Amino acid sequence: MLCIYTVFGMELRMTSTFPDISISTDRLVLRPFDMADIPAYIEMMNDELVTAWTDAPHPYTQVDAERWVRRIAPAHRTKGDGIALAVTEFLTQRLVGSVRLRNTDWRTLSTEAAYITAPWARGEGYATESVLAVAQWLFRDQGFERIELRTAADNTASQQVAQKLGCISEGVLRNARIARSQTEDGGWTDIRTDLIVWGLLPEDLEGVAEQLADAGGYGTYNDWN
């Protein structure tokens, strides 16, 4: 698929879909979702923290997961909105999270990144490692100029990921998102929350990988959503 823009009488053509790719790090493989991911994906999406900070259906069912793997995630890429990648451990191949690019603007070469870490994989720094890998791929191989992250005001773990990546806090969107809070009877109720907007440019990544290595790796805090 191509987008065609006219600037001062000149046609500019650019690809409007991401390639169907896998990205590897020392510990992780980021790849398209497949049917074998469904049991672990259902468990991850039904975790209390994921329920609180995402707008995924709850409870998250087999039907929801199959629809995601078969239709929604692939169409997300082919329609040009972004790309959805399963994050798996290199050695065990188990699902440990996801990274999703969305709201991609192919003219300005900017996109928004969102990430989730499975409850059984928290504390390993996987969110930082996987989003850093995607950012490096976007900036170096795809020529992108901006990545945006939006974190709920009370989601401090997600904010730590943004900070470790070198993102710059650019402002607050007041009352801009609906999150969920668990009630005393075990149910869930919608609550409104502010969103902190973070920006990441290619120059912001300079030296980040080295700084993380000098600090002992990607961190031991809980990085989810």
Side-chain angles (χ1 to χ4, degrees), residues 16 19 23 25 38 50 58 63-64 73 80-81 100 106-107 115 143 146 155 157 162 165-166 189 215 217 225:
S16 61
I23 301 171
T25 72
I38 286 179
V50 176
H58 181 75
V63 172
D64 294 322
D81 185 60
R100 181 181 178 185
W106 292 96
R107 185 174 187 182
Y115 39 92
R146 173 180 168 84
N155 191 343
L165 291 169
T189 185
N225 187 17

Side-chain angles (χ1 to χ4, degrees), residues 199-216:
L200 186 68
L201 306 183
E203 56 266 29
D204 298 330
L205 274 190
E206 293 179 5
V208 167
E210 292 77 7
Q211 291 170 12
L212 288 170
D214 291 342

Side-chain angles (χ1 to χ4, degrees), residues 7-143:
V7 181
F8 300 120
M10 299 175 59
E11 276 191 357
L12 301 179
R13 293 171 177 255
M14 60 183 68
T15 303
S16 61
T17 57
F18 288 117
D20 190 11
I21 53 92
S22 294
I23 301 171
S24 297
T25 72
D26 290 341
R27 302 187 298 170
L28 303 173
V29 176
L30 286 68
R31 55 157 176 79
F33 283 88
D34 61 43
M35 296 300 289
D37 297 321
I38 286 179
Y41 192 66
I42 293 172
E43 185 177 354
M44 179 177 78
M45 297 306 291
N46 278 309
D47 175 69
E48 290 181 357
L49 295 180
V50 176
T51 299
W53 296 117
T54 73
D55 56 5
H58 181 75
Y60 200 86
T61 67
Q62 179 83 17
V63 172
D64 294 322
E66 290 182 4
R67 185 183 298 118
W68 169 257
V69 172
R70 287 177 172 167
R71 293 171 46 197
I72 300 175
H76 190 56
R77 184 186 70 83
T78 58
K79 291 182 178 179
D81 185 60
I83 191 170
L85 298 171
V87 180
T88 63
E89 285 181 330
F90 178 78
L91 293 178
T92 67
Q93 299 184 29
R94 69 171 179 168
L95 182 75
V96 294
S98 67
V99 174
R100 181 181 178 185
L101 302 180
R102 59 192 181 190
N103 299 325
T104 303
D105 187 324
W106 292 96
R107 185 174 187 182
T108 63
L109 294 175
S110 63
T111 190
E112 179 185 341
Y115 39 92
I116 297 173
T117 302
W120 54 85
R122 291 175 189 148
E124 300 294 334
Y126 285 157
T128 306
E129 184 172 347
S130 57
V131 179
L132 175 61
V134 170
Q136 291 172 329
W137 169 72
L138 277 172
F139 291 150
R140 296 174 184 175
D141 297 346
Q142 300 299 305

